Amino acid sequence: MGSDAGPSGSKGEIELAIFDIDGPVTHPESRKIEQPEILDLTLNFIAKNGYVAYNTGRASTIAHQRVISPLLSRALARGIDPEIVSRRISIFAEKGGVTSSWDDELGRWTHRVDPAAKVPAHLRSEVVHLLRSDHEFKTYIFHDSDKETMVSVEMRHETSEPAPVPVTVNVFKPIAERFAAEARQLARDRGYDNLEVDCTTIAVDVQRRGVGKDLGARLAFGWLHNLGKRVARVHCFGDSRSDVAMAVEARSVMSRWFADAGERVVYVHVGENLSIDGGFEVRSFPNMYGRGTVAYLRALS
């Protein structure tokens, strides 16, 4: 896959929106699209010669169920051909380890797993055992069995107790950080120096070194390069520190073609308040999640 999507061999300028899913699109606690206006605003963005990449730690199946299916249903309700919308969308799931995109010749979505991104199966079993052997972990966290390359555990909607209570992001964070620390130690003890542990807003991911939101962004540019498109502006939406890598990568790619690359990349942050300085524009909507995404997309309309 090519890594450029610049002026050479391009057919008209386009804009690219790169979305993390949990937080910017679905609410981190309910995992649902609580701001349905996001669907219409995304379709409006696509209608104005925009392309959309969902760059997520989620499994591809979850991205399709929770985002792509509702988006295509909304397109159909508005009288828009879902295939036209599908041509403008790609999913880079599991932080670039899995790609799902529309194949015009086949008339369907394709699915590709990068074998180099897979975490060893026996380490997966040990991480799951770590979760189940600690009372606090198994009370607030569950294993995400949908993943094909990484090992992920995720914040429960509510505790696994006889009288369950809702689990919030603030409650989950210190527990997740302790789990991440123990998972890192487990990987080190087993001699895996090519693995890393990423603690996000609602999950902890044990992943191969090299996958990440920067890889997902790079693959998004490669997708558009293969379509012969010229990217003139990039909008990146995230809610955690690791999501900033999308904008860092986008600025790096755009700087190959534009002297004002930093002005052509926007990072839209909708999670907890962070200090972000990466040589690109930053728009912050602290703890607004989908509402922040809506506010930014409305301004583009």
Side-chain angles (χ1 to χ4, degrees):
M1 177 180 285
S3 59
D4 294 338
S8 176
S10 55
K11 302 175 182 178
E13 289 191 345
I14 61 102
E15 295 196 15
L16 169 63
I18 308 177
F19 290 94
D20 175 33
I21 288 180
D22 290 306
V25 181
T26 60
H27 193 276
E29 292 174 7
S30 70
R31 278 74 150 186
K32 297 177 181 178
I33 297 177
E34 295 190 354
Q35 308 295 321
E37 189 179 352
I38 288 174
L39 301 176
D40 284 308
L41 291 168
T42 301
L43 292 172
N44 293 347
F45 177 81
I46 290 172
K48 296 198 308 183
N49 209 21
Y51 285 72
V52 173
Y54 291 101
N55 183 11
T56 178
R58 282 287 182 190
S60 172
T61 54
I62 298 298
H64 276 281
Q65 291 168 7
R66 297 185 184 174
V67 180
I68 304 304
S69 181
L71 183 65
L72 297 182
S73 293
R74 183 59 190 149
L76 194 60
R78 287 178 51 175
I80 304 169
D81 186 345
E83 286 194 15
I84 293 175
V85 176
S86 295
R87 294 186 189 110
R88 298 289 189 96
I89 302 171
S90 272
I91 302 168
F92 302 99
E94 301 189 36
K95 302 176 185 175
V98 179
T99 297
S100 182
S101 59
W102 182 261
D103 187 309
D104 231 7
E105 291 185 6
L106 297 176
R108 61 177 175 82
W109 286 81
T110 61
H111 182 86
R112 177 185 177 274
V113 178
D114 181 355
K118 289 187 176 183
V119 169
H122 60 274
L123 182 62
R124 180 186 301 265
S125 299
E126 291 194 67
V127 172
V128 173
H129 177 72
L130 172 64
L131 166 64
R132 293 173 178 167
S133 63
D134 183 287
H135 177 72
E136 188 176 53
F137 290 162
K138 65 184 180 182
T139 299
Y140 293 92
I141 303 173
F142 72 94
H143 172 234
D144 182 354
S145 59
D146 292 313
K147 299 292 180 70
E148 297 177 89
T149 64
M150 61 176 61
V151 188
S152 293
V153 300
E154 186 177 330
M155 181 179 80
R156 289 185 179 275
H157 290 280
E158 55 185 25
T159 57
S160 60
E161 298 172 310
V165 296
V167 181
T168 66
V169 169
N170 289 337
V171 168
F172 174 73
K173 184 177 180 180
I175 300 167
E177 288 173 347
R178 183 168 74 86
F179 183 90
E182 294 195 22
R184 287 188 191 99
Q185 187 61 54
L186 178 63
R188 282 195 294 267
D189 290 346
R190 300 297 182 271
Y192 290 110
D193 55 3
N194 63 342
L195 298 178
E196 57 189 5
V197 180
D198 182 23
C199 197
T200 68
T201 302
I202 65 165
V204 178
D205 300 321
V206 181
Q207 61 199 40
R208 287 283 188 182
R209 198 174 300 280
V211 305
K213 294 304 181 75
D214 51 346
L215 174 61
R218 193 155 60 248
L219 292 172
F221 278 96
W223 163 57
L224 294 173
H225 170 73
N226 288 347
L227 295 177
K229 300 300 177 182
R230 171 178 176 166
V231 181
R233 191 166 176 80
V234 188
H235 314 268
C236 304
F237 297 78
D239 72 325
S240 64
R241 176 67 68 183
S242 60
D243 292 324
V244 180
M246 295 189 285
V248 173
E249 181 66 23
R251 186 188 185 283
S252 174
V253 174
M254 294 289 280
S255 67
R256 301 172 193 169
W257 319 306
F258 301 107
D260 61 345
E263 299 174 15
R264 293 173 178 267
V265 176
V266 183
Y267 177 68
V268 184
H269 186 73
V270 300
E272 65 176 350
N273 200 20
L274 295 178
S275 175
I276 301 168
D277 182 12
F280 41 79
E281 183 181 349
V282 177
R283 294 288 306 279
S284 290
F285 302 86
N287 297 307
M288 288 181 66
Y289 300 109
R291 291 181 295 115
T293 299
V294 165
Y296 182 82
L297 289 176
R298 278 179 183 165
L300 294 182
S301 299

